[in-house]
Amino acid sequence: RLLAVTAFLALAAVPAQAQVPLLDLRLGAHGALPQGDFADSHDAGVGAYFRAGIPTPFFKLMGSLTYTNFKAANPLDEDVSEITVQAGPHFSPIPLLDIGAEVGYLTDAQEWAFTPNVSVGFLMLEATASYTKPFQSGSASWVTLGLGFRF
């Protein structure tokens, strides 16, 4: 099933880009590694992301929606499912390299976070990495590594 979905998304990427040439759309999956005290209470997580961008004269304004589920390290604790809504400028110093500085809202933690990220594209594919650090001291933070499609 995963192979069929991957093949479908790869085939859909080219026609979708032709229909909306100004928009930069991205869809993918990621793994997340908790940091600090959060790593003591929760194991690695998995999730998905959707990102949309609009070019401006100096940078690209991107908005992101991510979902990540972290499994609790202790069976007596609950898993954490975090949905983040992010936005911020992205710069491309060279083609297919994208560096972003987004600010986002963490729905489960109900707090704001800084989420710098970088992605490298190849044809219609991308590899991405980001770090989510809430503004509040002592809150959960994590690193994500993902693979996705650019439409």
Side-chain angles (χ1 to χ4, degrees), residues 20-26 51-64 87-92 98 102 151:
V20 284
L22 289 179
L23 289 179
D24 181 0
L25 303 175
R26 303 172 190 189
R51 188 171 281 143
I54 300 172
T56 68
F58 303 106
F59 58 88
K60 187 181 301 180
L61 183 59
M62 298 288 279
S64 304
H90 282 237
F91 304 92
S92 293
D98 187 78
E102 297 181 359
F151 296 92

mmCIF file with all atom_site columns, all heavy atoms in Angstrom, residues 20-26 51-64 87-92 98 102 151:
data_model
loop_
_atom_site.group_PDB
_atom_site.id
_atom_site.type_symbol
_atom_site.label_atom_id
_atom_site.label_alt_id
_atom_site.label_comp_id
_atom_site.label_asym_id
_atom_site.label_entity_id
_atom_site.label_seq_id
_atom_site.pdbx_PDB_ins_code
_atom_site.Cartn_x
_atom_site.Cartn_y
_atom_site.Cartn_z
_atom_site.occupancy
_atom_site.B_iso_or_equiv
_atom_site.pdbx_formal_charge
_atom_site.auth_seq_id
_atom_site.auth_comp_id
_atom_site.auth_asym_id
_atom_site.auth_atom_id
_atom_site.pdbx_PDB_model_num
ATOM 1   N N   . VAL A 1 20  ? -0.948 24.780 -10.670 1.00 0.00 ? 20  VAL A N   1
ATOM 2   C CA  . VAL A 1 20  ? -0.720 25.887 -9.739  1.00 0.00 ? 20  VAL A CA  1
ATOM 3   C C   . VAL A 1 20  ? 0.764  26.265 -9.769  1.00 0.00 ? 20  VAL A C   1
ATOM 4   O O   . VAL A 1 20  ? 1.503  25.993 -8.837  1.00 0.00 ? 20  VAL A O   1
ATOM 5   C CB  . VAL A 1 20  ? -1.172 25.528 -8.303  1.00 0.00 ? 20  VAL A CB  1
ATOM 6   C CG1 . VAL A 1 20  ? -2.663 25.583 -8.153  1.00 0.00 ? 20  VAL A CG1 1
ATOM 7   C CG2 . VAL A 1 20  ? -0.640 24.175 -7.883  1.00 0.00 ? 20  VAL A CG2 1
ATOM 8   N N   . PRO A 1 21  ? 1.225  26.917 -10.851 1.00 0.00 ? 21  PRO A N   1
ATOM 9   C CA  . PRO A 1 21  ? 2.665  27.161 -11.002 1.00 0.00 ? 21  PRO A CA  1
ATOM 10  C C   . PRO A 1 21  ? 3.255  28.121 -9.970  1.00 0.00 ? 21  PRO A C   1
ATOM 11  O O   . PRO A 1 21  ? 4.433  28.041 -9.681  1.00 0.00 ? 21  PRO A O   1
ATOM 12  C CB  . PRO A 1 21  ? 2.777  27.728 -12.408 1.00 0.00 ? 21  PRO A CB  1
ATOM 13  C CG  . PRO A 1 21  ? 1.432  28.309 -12.696 1.00 0.00 ? 21  PRO A CG  1
ATOM 14  C CD  . PRO A 1 21  ? 0.453  27.456 -11.956 1.00 0.00 ? 21  PRO A CD  1
ATOM 15  N N   . LEU A 1 22  ? 2.482  29.017 -9.409  1.00 0.00 ? 22  LEU A N   1
ATOM 16  C CA  . LEU A 1 22  ? 3.026  29.956 -8.438  1.00 0.00 ? 22  LEU A CA  1
ATOM 17  C C   . LEU A 1 22  ? 3.154  29.365 -7.043  1.00 0.00 ? 22  LEU A C   1
ATOM 18  O O   . LEU A 1 22  ? 3.969  29.810 -6.253  1.00 0.00 ? 22  LEU A O   1
ATOM 19  C CB  . LEU A 1 22  ? 2.174  31.222 -8.377  1.00 0.00 ? 22  LEU A CB  1
ATOM 20  C CG  . LEU A 1 22  ? 2.261  32.134 -9.599  1.00 0.00 ? 22  LEU A CG  1
ATOM 21  C CD1 . LEU A 1 22  ? 1.357  33.337 -9.421  1.00 0.00 ? 22  LEU A CD1 1
ATOM 22  C CD2 . LEU A 1 22  ? 3.693  32.573 -9.845  1.00 0.00 ? 22  LEU A CD2 1
ATOM 23  N N   . LEU A 1 23  ? 2.337  28.386 -6.726  1.00 0.00 ? 23  LEU A N   1
ATOM 24  C CA  . LEU A 1 23  ? 2.373  27.799 -5.390  1.00 0.00 ? 23  LEU A CA  1
ATOM 25  C C   . LEU A 1 23  ? 3.446  26.724 -5.306  1.00 0.00 ? 23  LEU A C   1
ATOM 26  O O   . LEU A 1 23  ? 3.663  25.969 -6.242  1.00 0.00 ? 23  LEU A O   1
ATOM 27  C CB  . LEU A 1 23  ? 1.025  27.183 -5.028  1.00 0.00 ? 23  LEU A CB  1
ATOM 28  C CG  . LEU A 1 23  ? -0.117 28.145 -4.766  1.00 0.00 ? 23  LEU A CG  1
ATOM 29  C CD1 . LEU A 1 23  ? -1.374 27.362 -4.437  1.00 0.00 ? 23  LEU A CD1 1
ATOM 30  C CD2 . LEU A 1 23  ? 0.219  29.085 -3.636  1.00 0.00 ? 23  LEU A CD2 1
ATOM 31  N N   . ASP A 1 24  ? 4.105  26.664 -4.169  1.00 0.00 ? 24  ASP A N   1
ATOM 32  C CA  . ASP A 1 24  ? 5.064  25.610 -3.861  1.00 0.00 ? 24  ASP A CA  1
ATOM 33  C C   . ASP A 1 24  ? 4.392  24.715 -2.831  1.00 0.00 ? 24  ASP A C   1
ATOM 34  O O   . ASP A 1 24  ? 4.245  25.094 -1.674  1.00 0.00 ? 24  ASP A O   1
ATOM 35  C CB  . ASP A 1 24  ? 6.340  26.231 -3.307  1.00 0.00 ? 24  ASP A CB  1
ATOM 36  C CG  . ASP A 1 24  ? 7.406  25.199 -2.986  1.00 0.00 ? 24  ASP A CG  1
ATOM 37  O OD1 . ASP A 1 24  ? 7.165  23.995 -3.182  1.00 0.00 ? 24  ASP A OD1 1
ATOM 38  O OD2 . ASP A 1 24  ? 8.487  25.605 -2.534  1.00 0.00 ? 24  ASP A OD2 1
ATOM 39  N N   . LEU A 1 25  ? 3.931  23.546 -3.243  1.00 0.00 ? 25  LEU A N   1
ATOM 40  C CA  . LEU A 1 25  ? 3.233  22.625 -2.356  1.00 0.00 ? 25  LEU A CA  1
ATOM 41  C C   . LEU A 1 25  ? 4.123  21.432 -2.053  1.00 0.00 ? 25  LEU A C   1
ATOM 42  O O   . LEU A 1 25  ? 4.781  20.901 -2.950  1.00 0.00 ? 25  LEU A O   1
ATOM 43  C CB  . LEU A 1 25  ? 1.931  22.148 -2.995  1.00 0.00 ? 25  LEU A CB  1
ATOM 44  C CG  . LEU A 1 25  ? 0.948  23.235 -3.396  1.00 0.00 ? 25  LEU A CG  1
ATOM 45  C CD1 . LEU A 1 25  ? -0.239 22.636 -4.128  1.00 0.00 ? 25  LEU A CD1 1
ATOM 46  C CD2 . LEU A 1 25  ? 0.485  24.010 -2.173  1.00 0.00 ? 25  LEU A CD2 1
ATOM 47  N N   . ARG A 1 26  ? 4.116  20.993 -0.798  1.00 0.00 ? 26  ARG A N   1
ATOM 48  C CA  . ARG A 1 26  ? 4.941  19.867 -0.376  1.00 0.00 ? 26  ARG A CA  1
ATOM 49  C C   . ARG A 1 26  ? 4.149  18.976 0.575   1.00 0.00 ? 26  ARG A C   1
ATOM 50  O O   . ARG A 1 26  ? 3.403  19.466 1.417   1.00 0.00 ? 26  ARG A O   1
ATOM 51  C CB  . ARG A 1 26  ? 6.199  20.363 0.317   1.00 0.00 ? 26  ARG A CB  1
ATOM 52  C CG  . ARG A 1 26  ? 7.008  21.299 -0.550  1.00 0.00 ? 26  ARG A CG  1
ATOM 53  C CD  . ARG A 1 26  ? 8.117  21.917 0.205   1.00 0.00 ? 26  ARG A CD  1
ATOM 54  N NE  . ARG A 1 26  ? 8.736  22.983 -0.587  1.00 0.00 ? 26  ARG A NE  1
ATOM 55  C CZ  . ARG A 1 26  ? 9.841  23.590 -0.249  1.00 0.00 ? 26  ARG A CZ  1
ATOM 56  N NH1 . ARG A 1 26  ? 10.456 23.257 0.873   1.00 0.00 ? 26  ARG A NH1 1
ATOM 57  N NH2 . ARG A 1 26  ? 10.345 24.541 -0.997  1.00 0.00 ? 26  ARG A NH2 1
ATOM 58  N N   . ARG A 1 51  ? 3.102  21.496 3.426   1.00 0.00 ? 51  ARG A N   1
ATOM 59  C CA  . ARG A 1 51  ? 3.665  22.843 3.393   1.00 0.00 ? 51  ARG A CA  1
ATOM 60  C C   . ARG A 1 51  ? 3.240  23.519 2.095   1.00 0.00 ? 51  ARG A C   1
ATOM 61  O O   . ARG A 1 51  ? 3.256  22.903 1.032   1.00 0.00 ? 51  ARG A O   1
ATOM 62  C CB  . ARG A 1 51  ? 5.189  22.738 3.488   1.00 0.00 ? 51  ARG A CB  1
ATOM 63  C CG  . ARG A 1 51  ? 5.889  24.036 3.654   1.00 0.00 ? 51  ARG A CG  1
ATOM 64  C CD  . ARG A 1 51  ? 7.366  23.819 3.967   1.00 0.00 ? 51  ARG A CD  1
ATOM 65  N NE  . ARG A 1 51  ? 7.476  23.479 5.383   1.00 0.00 ? 51  ARG A NE  1
ATOM 66  C CZ  . ARG A 1 51  ? 8.339  22.603 5.873   1.00 0.00 ? 51  ARG A CZ  1
ATOM 67  N NH1 . ARG A 1 51  ? 9.162  21.972 5.080   1.00 0.00 ? 51  ARG A NH1 1
ATOM 68  N NH2 . ARG A 1 51  ? 8.376  22.369 7.151   1.00 0.00 ? 51  ARG A NH2 1
ATOM 69  N N   . ALA A 1 52  ? 2.861  24.785 2.178   1.00 0.00 ? 52  ALA A N   1
ATOM 70  C CA  . ALA A 1 52  ? 2.474  25.570 1.000   1.00 0.00 ? 52  ALA A CA  1
ATOM 71  C C   . ALA A 1 52  ? 3.203  26.900 1.048   1.00 0.00 ? 52  ALA A C   1
ATOM 72  O O   . ALA A 1 52  ? 3.307  27.519 2.105   1.00 0.00 ? 52  ALA A O   1
ATOM 73  C CB  . ALA A 1 52  ? 0.969  25.802 0.971   1.00 0.00 ? 52  ALA A CB  1
ATOM 74  N N   . GLY A 1 53  ? 3.718  27.322 -0.111  1.00 0.00 ? 53  GLY A N   1
ATOM 75  C CA  . GLY A 1 53  ? 4.474  28.561 -0.165  1.00 0.00 ? 53  GLY A CA  1
ATOM 76  C C   . GLY A 1 53  ? 4.074  29.445 -1.328  1.00 0.00 ? 53  GLY A C   1
ATOM 77  O O   . GLY A 1 53  ? 3.670  28.951 -2.380  1.00 0.00 ? 53  GLY A O   1
ATOM 78  N N   . ILE A 1 54  ? 4.210  30.740 -1.120  1.00 0.00 ? 54  ILE A N   1
ATOM 79  C CA  . ILE A 1 54  ? 3.918  31.741 -2.153  1.00 0.00 ? 54  ILE A CA  1
ATOM 80  C C   . ILE A 1 54  ? 5.157  32.616 -2.283  1.00 0.00 ? 54  ILE A C   1
ATOM 81  O O   . ILE A 1 54  ? 5.629  33.176 -1.289  1.00 0.00 ? 54  ILE A O   1
ATOM 82  C CB  . ILE A 1 54  ? 2.707  32.613 -1.767  1.00 0.00 ? 54  ILE A CB  1
ATOM 83  C CG1 . ILE A 1 54  ? 1.471  31.749 -1.596  1.00 0.00 ? 54  ILE A CG1 1
ATOM 84  C CG2 . ILE A 1 54  ? 2.483  33.701 -2.796  1.00 0.00 ? 54  ILE A CG2 1
ATOM 85  C CD1 . ILE A 1 54  ? 0.282  32.490 -1.024  1.00 0.00 ? 54  ILE A CD1 1
ATOM 86  N N   . PRO A 1 55  ? 5.701  32.754 -3.499  1.00 0.00 ? 55  PRO A N   1
ATOM 87  C CA  . PRO A 1 55  ? 6.887  33.600 -3.649  1.00 0.00 ? 55  PRO A CA  1
ATOM 88  C C   . PRO A 1 55  ? 6.551  35.081 -3.514  1.00 0.00 ? 55  PRO A C   1
ATOM 89  O O   . PRO A 1 55  ? 5.489  35.532 -3.923  1.00 0.00 ? 55  PRO A O   1
ATOM 90  C CB  . PRO A 1 55  ? 7.382  33.272 -5.060  1.00 0.00 ? 55  PRO A CB  1
ATOM 91  C CG  . PRO A 1 55  ? 6.226  32.684 -5.769  1.00 0.00 ? 55  PRO A CG  1
ATOM 92  C CD  . PRO A 1 55  ? 5.315  32.095 -4.737  1.00 0.00 ? 55  PRO A CD  1
ATOM 93  N N   . THR A 1 56  ? 7.453  35.812 -2.893  1.00 0.00 ? 56  THR A N   1
ATOM 94  C CA  . THR A 1 56  ? 7.387  37.272 -2.816  1.00 0.00 ? 56  THR A CA  1
ATOM 95  C C   . THR A 1 56  ? 8.679  37.782 -3.469  1.00 0.00 ? 56  THR A C   1
ATOM 96  O O   . THR A 1 56  ? 9.552  36.982 -3.802  1.00 0.00 ? 56  THR A O   1
ATOM 97  C CB  . THR A 1 56  ? 7.286  37.754 -1.350  1.00 0.00 ? 56  THR A CB  1
ATOM 98  O OG1 . THR A 1 56  ? 8.504  37.471 -0.691  1.00 0.00 ? 56  THR A OG1 1
ATOM 99  C CG2 . THR A 1 56  ? 6.120  37.107 -0.633  1.00 0.00 ? 56  THR A CG2 1
ATOM 100 N N   . PRO A 1 57  ? 8.841  39.074 -3.641  1.00 0.00 ? 57  PRO A N   1
ATOM 101 C CA  . PRO A 1 57  ? 10.059 39.560 -4.307  1.00 0.00 ? 57  PRO A CA  1
ATOM 102 C C   . PRO A 1 57  ? 11.371 39.166 -3.620  1.00 0.00 ? 57  PRO A C   1
ATOM 103 O O   . PRO A 1 57  ? 12.378 38.987 -4.279  1.00 0.00 ? 57  PRO A O   1
ATOM 104 C CB  . PRO A 1 57  ? 9.885  41.078 -4.302  1.00 0.00 ? 57  PRO A CB  1
ATOM 105 C CG  . PRO A 1 57  ? 8.410  41.284 -4.259  1.00 0.00 ? 57  PRO A CG  1
ATOM 106 C CD  . PRO A 1 57  ? 7.874  40.150 -3.439  1.00 0.00 ? 57  PRO A CD  1
ATOM 107 N N   . PHE A 1 58  ? 11.381 39.003 -2.287  1.00 0.00 ? 58  PHE A N   1
ATOM 108 C CA  . PHE A 1 58  ? 12.639 38.766 -1.592  1.00 0.00 ? 58  PHE A CA  1
ATOM 109 C C   . PHE A 1 58  ? 12.766 37.379 -0.969  1.00 0.00 ? 58  PHE A C   1
ATOM 110 O O   . PHE A 1 58  ? 13.865 36.947 -0.662  1.00 0.00 ? 58  PHE A O   1
ATOM 111 C CB  . PHE A 1 58  ? 12.832 39.823 -0.505  1.00 0.00 ? 58  PHE A CB  1
ATOM 112 C CG  . PHE A 1 58  ? 12.794 41.218 -1.053  1.00 0.00 ? 58  PHE A CG  1
ATOM 113 C CD1 . PHE A 1 58  ? 11.695 42.022 -0.832  1.00 0.00 ? 58  PHE A CD1 1
ATOM 114 C CD2 . PHE A 1 58  ? 13.838 41.695 -1.820  1.00 0.00 ? 58  PHE A CD2 1
ATOM 115 C CE1 . PHE A 1 58  ? 11.649 43.308 -1.346  1.00 0.00 ? 58  PHE A CE1 1
ATOM 116 C CE2 . PHE A 1 58  ? 13.797 42.977 -2.341  1.00 0.00 ? 58  PHE A CE2 1
ATOM 117 C CZ  . PHE A 1 58  ? 12.703 43.788 -2.108  1.00 0.00 ? 58  PHE A CZ  1
ATOM 118 N N   . PHE A 1 59  ? 11.672 36.708 -0.725  1.00 0.00 ? 59  PHE A N   1
ATOM 119 C CA  . PHE A 1 59  ? 11.689 35.393 -0.096  1.00 0.00 ? 59  PHE A CA  1
ATOM 120 C C   . PHE A 1 59  ? 10.387 34.674 -0.436  1.00 0.00 ? 59  PHE A C   1
ATOM 121 O O   . PHE A 1 59  ? 9.530  35.218 -1.105  1.00 0.00 ? 59  PHE A O   1
ATOM 122 C CB  . PHE A 1 59  ? 11.870 35.501 1.423   1.00 0.00 ? 59  PHE A CB  1
ATOM 123 C CG  . PHE A 1 59  ? 10.803 36.319 2.109   1.00 0.00 ? 59  PHE A CG  1
ATOM 124 C CD1 . PHE A 1 59  ? 9.627  35.729 2.535   1.00 0.00 ? 59  PHE A CD1 1
ATOM 125 C CD2 . PHE A 1 59  ? 10.980 37.678 2.324   1.00 0.00 ? 59  PHE A CD2 1
ATOM 126 C CE1 . PHE A 1 59  ? 8.639  36.480 3.156   1.00 0.00 ? 59  PHE A CE1 1
ATOM 127 C CE2 . PHE A 1 59  ? 9.999  38.434 2.950   1.00 0.00 ? 59  PHE A CE2 1
ATOM 128 C CZ  . PHE A 1 59  ? 8.832  37.832 3.363   1.00 0.00 ? 59  PHE A CZ  1
ATOM 129 N N   . LYS A 1 60  ? 10.256 33.462 0.047   1.00 0.00 ? 60  LYS A N   1
ATOM 130 C CA  . LYS A 1 60  ? 9.025  32.704 -0.127  1.00 0.00 ? 60  LYS A CA  1
ATOM 131 C C   . LYS A 1 60  ? 8.345  32.610 1.227   1.00 0.00 ? 60  LYS A C   1
ATOM 132 O O   . LYS A 1 60  ? 8.971  32.255 2.226   1.00 0.00 ? 60  LYS A O   1
ATOM 133 C CB  . LYS A 1 60  ? 9.352  31.300 -0.637  1.00 0.00 ? 60  LYS A CB  1
ATOM 134 C CG  . LYS A 1 60  ? 8.139  30.495 -1.014  1.00 0.00 ? 60  LYS A CG  1
ATOM 135 C CD  . LYS A 1 60  ? 8.541  29.118 -1.486  1.00 0.00 ? 60  LYS A CD  1
ATOM 136 C CE  . LYS A 1 60  ? 9.451  29.218 -2.680  1.00 0.00 ? 60  LYS A CE  1
ATOM 137 N NZ  . LYS A 1 60  ? 9.868  27.920 -3.192  1.00 0.00 ? 60  LYS A NZ  1
ATOM 138 N N   . LEU A 1 61  ? 7.078  32.967 1.293   1.00 0.00 ? 61  LEU A N   1
ATOM 139 C CA  . LEU A 1 61  ? 6.316  32.856 2.529   1.00 0.00 ? 61  LEU A CA  1
ATOM 140 C C   . LEU A 1 61  ? 5.688  31.465 2.568   1.00 0.00 ? 61  LEU A C   1
ATOM 141 O O   . LEU A 1 61  ? 4.909  31.108 1.689   1.00 0.00 ? 61  LEU A O   1
ATOM 142 C CB  . LEU A 1 61  ? 5.235  33.937 2.607   1.00 0.00 ? 61  LEU A CB  1
ATOM 143 C CG  . LEU A 1 61  ? 4.418  33.957 3.880   1.00 0.00 ? 61  LEU A CG  1
ATOM 144 C CD1 . LEU A 1 61  ? 5.320  34.163 5.099   1.00 0.00 ? 61  LEU A CD1 1
ATOM 145 C CD2 . LEU A 1 61  ? 3.368  35.045 3.824   1.00 0.00 ? 61  LEU A CD2 1
ATOM 146 N N   . MET A 1 62  ? 6.070  30.684 3.570   1.00 0.00 ? 62  MET A N   1
ATOM 147 C CA  . MET A 1 62  ? 5.592  29.307 3.691   1.00 0.00 ? 62  MET A CA  1
ATOM 148 C C   . MET A 1 62  ? 4.708  29.148 4.915   1.00 0.00 ? 62  MET A C   1
ATOM 149 O O   . MET A 1 62  ? 4.952  29.756 5.953   1.00 0.00 ? 62  MET A O   1
ATOM 150 C CB  . MET A 1 62  ? 6.767  28.328 3.819   1.00 0.00 ? 62  MET A CB  1
ATOM 151 C CG  . MET A 1 62  ? 7.707  28.284 2.642   1.00 0.00 ? 62  MET A CG  1
ATOM 152 S SD  . MET A 1 62  ? 7.019  27.481 1.200   1.00 0.00 ? 62  MET A SD  1
ATOM 153 C CE  . MET A 1 62  ? 7.268  25.788 1.589   1.00 0.00 ? 62  MET A CE  1
ATOM 154 N N   . GLY A 1 63  ? 3.709  28.308 4.771   1.00 0.00 ? 63  GLY A N   1
ATOM 155 C CA  . GLY A 1 63  ? 2.862  27.895 5.876   1.00 0.00 ? 63  GLY A CA  1
ATOM 156 C C   . GLY A 1 63  ? 2.920  26.385 5.968   1.00 0.00 ? 63  GLY A C   1
ATOM 157 O O   . GLY A 1 63  ? 2.984  25.704 4.937   1.00 0.00 ? 63  GLY A O   1
ATOM 158 N N   . SER A 1 64  ? 2.922  25.845 7.170   1.00 0.00 ? 64  SER A N   1
ATOM 159 C CA  . SER A 1 64  ? 3.061  24.405 7.358   1.00 0.00 ? 64  SER A CA  1
ATOM 160 C C   . SER A 1 64  ? 2.026  23.886 8.346   1.00 0.00 ? 64  SER A C   1
ATOM 161 O O   . SER A 1 64  ? 1.642  24.582 9.286   1.00 0.00 ? 64  SER A O   1
ATOM 162 C CB  . SER A 1 64  ? 4.449  24.057 7.893   1.00 0.00 ? 64  SER A CB  1
ATOM 163 O OG  . SER A 1 64  ? 5.455  24.536 7.075   1.00 0.00 ? 64  SER A OG  1
ATOM 164 N N   . ALA A 1 87  ? 4.267  29.215 10.221  1.00 0.00 ? 87  ALA A N   1
ATOM 165 C CA  . ALA A 1 87  ? 4.412  30.132 9.082   1.00 0.00 ? 87  ALA A CA  1
ATOM 166 C C   . ALA A 1 87  ? 5.697  30.915 9.242   1.00 0.00 ? 87  ALA A C   1
ATOM 167 O O   . ALA A 1 87  ? 6.143  31.171 10.367  1.00 0.00 ? 87  ALA A O   1
ATOM 168 C CB  . ALA A 1 87  ? 3.227  31.080 8.989   1.00 0.00 ? 87  ALA A CB  1
ATOM 169 N N   . GLY A 1 88  ? 6.288  31.290 8.096   1.00 0.00 ? 88  GLY A N   1
ATOM 170 C CA  . GLY A 1 88  ? 7.499  32.096 8.142   1.00 0.00 ? 88  GLY A CA  1
ATOM 171 C C   . GLY A 1 88  ? 8.181  32.188 6.800   1.00 0.00 ? 88  GLY A C   1
ATOM 172 O O   . GLY A 1 88  ? 7.788  31.525 5.837   1.00 0.00 ? 88  GLY A O   1
ATOM 173 N N   . PRO A 1 89  ? 9.227  33.015 6.717   1.00 0.00 ? 89  PRO A N   1
ATOM 174 C CA  . PRO A 1 89  ? 9.944  33.202 5.456   1.00 0.00 ? 89  PRO A CA  1
ATOM 175 C C   . PRO A 1 89  ? 10.910 32.053 5.172   1.00 0.00 ? 89  PRO A C   1
ATOM 176 O O   . PRO A 1 89  ? 11.472 31.456 6.093   1.00 0.00 ? 89  PRO A O   1
ATOM 177 C CB  . PRO A 1 89  ? 10.711 34.500 5.684   1.00 0.00 ? 89  PRO A CB  1
ATOM 178 C CG  . PRO A 1 89  ? 10.962 34.524 7.157   1.00 0.00 ? 89  PRO A CG  1
ATOM 179 C CD  . PRO A 1 89  ? 9.741  33.888 7.770   1.00 0.00 ? 89  PRO A CD  1
ATOM 180 N N   . HIS A 1 90  ? 11.072 31.759 3.881   1.00 0.00 ? 90  HIS A N   1
ATOM 181 C CA  . HIS A 1 90  ? 12.040 30.756 3.419   1.00 0.00 ? 90  HIS A CA  1
ATOM 182 C C   . HIS A 1 90  ? 12.914 31.396 2.348   1.00 0.00 ? 90  HIS A C   1
ATOM 183 O O   . HIS A 1 90  ? 12.428 32.159 1.512   1.00 0.00 ? 90  HIS A O   1
ATOM 184 C CB  . HIS A 1 90  ? 11.319 29.544 2.824   1.00 0.00 ? 90  HIS A CB  1
ATOM 185 C CG  . HIS A 1 90  ? 10.767 28.631 3.863   1.00 0.00 ? 90  HIS A CG  1
ATOM 186 N ND1 . HIS A 1 90  ? 11.108 27.310 3.931   1.00 0.00 ? 90  HIS A ND1 1
ATOM 187 C CD2 . HIS A 1 90  ? 9.911  28.841 4.885   1.00 0.00 ? 90  HIS A CD2 1
ATOM 188 C CE1 . HIS A 1 90  ? 10.473 26.737 4.939   1.00 0.00 ? 90  HIS A CE1 1
ATOM 189 N NE2 . HIS A 1 90  ? 9.730  27.664 5.537   1.00 0.00 ? 90  HIS A NE2 1
ATOM 190 N N   . PHE A 1 91  ? 14.194 31.078 2.387   1.00 0.00 ? 91  PHE A N   1
ATOM 191 C CA  . PHE A 1 91  ? 15.150 31.623 1.440   1.00 0.00 ? 91  PHE A CA  1
ATOM 192 C C   . PHE A 1 91  ? 15.810 30.488 0.674   1.00 0.00 ? 91  PHE A C   1
ATOM 193 O O   . PHE A 1 91  ? 16.030 29.406 1.230   1.00 0.00 ? 91  PHE A O   1
ATOM 194 C CB  . PHE A 1 91  ? 16.219 32.430 2.179   1.00 0.00 ? 91  PHE A CB  1
ATOM 195 C CG  . PHE A 1 91  ? 15.643 33.521 3.032   1.00 0.00 ? 91  PHE A CG  1
ATOM 196 C CD1 . PHE A 1 91  ? 15.335 33.300 4.369   1.00 0.00 ? 91  PHE A CD1 1
ATOM 197 C CD2 . PHE A 1 91  ? 15.392 34.768 2.493   1.00 0.00 ? 91  PHE A CD2 1
ATOM 198 C CE1 . PHE A 1 91  ? 14.792 34.301 5.151   1.00 0.00 ? 91  PHE A CE1 1
ATOM 199 C CE2 . PHE A 1 91  ? 14.835 35.779 3.270   1.00 0.00 ? 91  PHE A CE2 1
ATOM 200 C CZ  . PHE A 1 91  ? 14.537 35.543 4.595   1.00 0.00 ? 91  PHE A CZ  1
ATOM 201 N N   . SER A 1 92  ? 16.132 30.722 -0.583  1.00 0.00 ? 92  SER A N   1
ATOM 202 C CA  . SER A 1 92  ? 16.807 29.730 -1.415  1.00 0.00 ? 92  SER A CA  1
ATOM 203 C C   . SER A 1 92  ? 18.097 30.342 -1.960  1.00 0.00 ? 92  SER A C   1
ATOM 204 O O   . SER A 1 92  ? 18.094 30.940 -3.037  1.00 0.00 ? 92  SER A O   1
ATOM 205 C CB  . SER A 1 92  ? 15.909 29.283 -2.566  1.00 0.00 ? 92  SER A CB  1
ATOM 206 O OG  . SER A 1 92  ? 14.805 28.575 -2.081  1.00 0.00 ? 92  SER A OG  1
ATOM 207 N N   . ASP A 1 98  ? 16.428 25.072 0.419   1.00 0.00 ? 98  ASP A N   1
ATOM 208 C CA  . ASP A 1 98  ? 15.431 25.929 1.028   1.00 0.00 ? 98  ASP A CA  1
ATOM 209 C C   . ASP A 1 98  ? 15.711 26.026 2.524   1.00 0.00 ? 98  ASP A C   1
ATOM 210 O O   . ASP A 1 98  ? 15.757 25.004 3.206   1.00 0.00 ? 98  ASP A O   1
ATOM 211 C CB  . ASP A 1 98  ? 14.042 25.324 0.775   1.00 0.00 ? 98  ASP A CB  1
ATOM 212 C CG  . ASP A 1 98  ? 12.936 26.223 1.223   1.00 0.00 ? 98  ASP A CG  1
ATOM 213 O OD1 . ASP A 1 98  ? 12.633 27.174 0.499   1.00 0.00 ? 98  ASP A OD1 1
ATOM 214 O OD2 . ASP A 1 98  ? 12.383 25.964 2.307   1.00 0.00 ? 98  ASP A OD2 1
ATOM 215 N N   . GLU A 1 102 ? 10.450 29.444 10.704  1.00 0.00 ? 102 GLU A N   1
ATOM 216 C CA  . GLU A 1 102 ? 9.020  29.515 10.959  1.00 0.00 ? 102 GLU A CA  1
ATOM 217 C C   . GLU A 1 102 ? 8.725  29.630 12.452  1.00 0.00 ? 102 GLU A C   1
ATOM 218 O O   . GLU A 1 102 ? 9.484  29.151 13.285  1.00 0.00 ? 102 GLU A O   1
ATOM 219 C CB  . GLU A 1 102 ? 8.322  28.277 10.401  1.00 0.00 ? 102 GLU A CB  1
ATOM 220 C CG  . GLU A 1 102 ? 8.444  28.145 8.902   1.00 0.00 ? 102 GLU A CG  1
ATOM 221 C CD  . GLU A 1 102 ? 7.733  26.916 8.358   1.00 0.00 ? 102 GLU A CD  1
ATOM 222 O OE1 . GLU A 1 102 ? 7.159  26.135 9.140   1.00 0.00 ? 102 GLU A OE1 1
ATOM 223 O OE2 . GLU A 1 102 ? 7.760  26.744 7.134   1.00 0.00 ? 102 GLU A OE2 1
ATOM 224 N N   . PHE A 1 151 ? 5.174  19.582 -5.163  1.00 0.00 ? 151 PHE A N   1
ATOM 225 C CA  . PHE A 1 151 ? 4.198  19.676 -6.255  1.00 0.00 ? 151 PHE A CA  1
ATOM 226 C C   . PHE A 1 151 ? 4.325  21.011 -6.951  1.00 0.00 ? 151 PHE A C   1
ATOM 227 O O   . PHE A 1 151 ? 4.694  21.984 -6.374  1.00 0.00 ? 151 PHE A O   1
ATOM 228 C CB  . PHE A 1 151 ? 2.775  19.515 -5.719  1.00 0.00 ? 151 PHE A CB  1
ATOM 229 C CG  . PHE A 1 151 ? 2.532  18.158 -5.126  1.00 0.00 ? 151 PHE A CG  1
ATOM 230 C CD1 . PHE A 1 151 ? 2.735  17.931 -3.788  1.00 0.00 ? 151 PHE A CD1 1
ATOM 231 C CD2 . PHE A 1 151 ? 2.115  17.120 -5.935  1.00 0.00 ? 151 PHE A CD2 1
ATOM 232 C CE1 . PHE A 1 151 ? 2.503  16.677 -3.247  1.00 0.00 ? 151 PHE A CE1 1
ATOM 233 C CE2 . PHE A 1 151 ? 1.883  15.867 -5.389  1.00 0.00 ? 151 PHE A CE2 1
ATOM 234 C CZ  . PHE A 1 151 ? 2.080  15.651 -4.044  1.00 0.00 ? 151 PHE A CZ  1
#
